[in-house]
Amino acid sequence: MLRHSLTISPIPLHRAAAVMISVAGAAMLLAGSAIADDAATGAARARELVEHGRLTDGIVACVACHRDSGQGDAESAFGNLTGLTETYIAKQLADYRSGIRENRVMQVIAAKLTDADIAALAGYYSKLEASDAKSPLPAPPAIGVTLAEQGDAAREIPSCVTCHNVAALAGSDTIPNIAGQHALYISRQLEAWQTGARNNDPGSIMSSIAKKLTADEINAVALYFARQKRKAP
């Protein structure tokens, strides 16, 4: 009986290395392609929701209130979404959906949004150019300047610029950019902090501060920030 032996020659190291590099390169290309596809899918999803909504779920187009520019509407208190970070926008939409942040219009819309919808919209609006409200505004009353820049130590009200520093801080994932935001929107948010309709900030700091402000002070501070230059995050 003849016996045949099979001899396997080792692959030279340089060839093995070349194969490994080739496989790794292909994997990176595939991963990059998947990321690009995900980004393209997210962008398309966002554009569809922004421009057309999803009427089968009762979601109206975002531009109906926030305009194509993302600036919103000063007279209707629809917020300026430009100049906000992706994480901040995503958190607000999630809070509307869960009911932590109350708003009759936004809660109905957010309740129908999926996690993918929220991620897509947050990514879309965070990439828009930061822009200010276009309408001319009068100078704020002196109390608005004082509270914004100095606060009121006797009432334990810190200055607004301690966190919302219009000179250096454009905004962060937890502190929104309110420079160049609509005055009426800012007033409505401070009123919501007062009543508890909004209570979704770290440590309930805003609730504590807002409850110490009078209606005139709220309007004065809102006007102060509405006149400031909006910056990109």
Side-chain angles (χ1 to χ4, degrees), residues 2 7 10 31 36 45 56 73 76 90 93 106 121 127 140 142 168 173 180 184 194-195 202-203 212-213 224 230:
L2 295 176
T7 302
R45 178 192 295 269
T56 54
D73 188 305
S76 301
L93 287 172
M106 284 305 304
L121 288 170
K127 292 178 176 63
D173 290 342
L184 183 56
Q194 281 188 328
T195 63
K212 298 174 183 178
L213 299 176
Y224 172 90
R230 201 162 182 80

Side-chain angles (χ1 to χ4, degrees), residues 9-23:
S9 299
I11 299 175
L13 289 177
H14 70 279
R15 289 184 60 192
V19 171
M20 292 175 66
I21 292 172
S22 178
V23 171

Side-chain angles (χ1 to χ4, degrees), residues 37-180:
D37 287 345
D38 288 344
T41 300
R45 178 192 295 269
R47 176 58 68 178
E48 181 68 19
L49 289 169
V50 167
E51 295 183 351
H52 306 291
R54 192 162 60 226
L55 298 183
T56 54
D57 287 337
I59 300 175
V60 298
C62 303
V63 296
C65 298
H66 295 286
R67 306 292 182 257
D68 188 54
S69 64
Q71 285 188 350
D73 188 305
E75 295 182 0
S76 301
F78 297 136
N80 182 351
L81 301 181
T82 69
L84 299 175
T85 69
E86 184 172 352
T87 299
Y88 181 82
I89 296 172
K91 182 183 186 303
Q92 300 313 305
L93 287 172
D95 287 351
Y96 280 130
R97 186 174 63 179
S98 68
I100 295 176
R101 182 174 176 180
E102 298 178 15
N103 179 278
R104 288 181 298 175
V105 175
M106 284 305 304
Q107 281 182 273
V108 171
I109 294 172
K112 302 292 185 179
L113 295 176
T114 65
D115 289 346
D117 292 334
I118 288 176
L121 288 170
Y124 173 86
Y125 279 109
S126 67
K127 292 178 176 63
L128 294 182
E129 181 180 357
S131 54
D132 307 323
K134 301 299 182 183
S135 57
L137 296 168
I143 187 60
V145 179
T146 299
L147 287 171
E149 297 181 355
Q150 301 174 30
D152 186 340
R155 290 189 289 164
E156 298 184 338
I157 299 175
S159 68
C160 304
V161 298
T162 299
C163 297
H164 301 282
N165 187 337
V166 296
L169 181 62
S172 70
D173 290 342
T174 55
I175 301 172
N177 181 359
I178 59 174

Side-chain angles (χ1 to χ4, degrees), residues 186-201:
I186 297 174
S187 294
R188 293 277 175 84
Q189 295 311 303
L190 286 170
E191 290 164 0
W193 292 117
Q194 281 188 328
T195 63
R198 183 173 181 182
N199 188 26
N200 65 335
D201 66 318

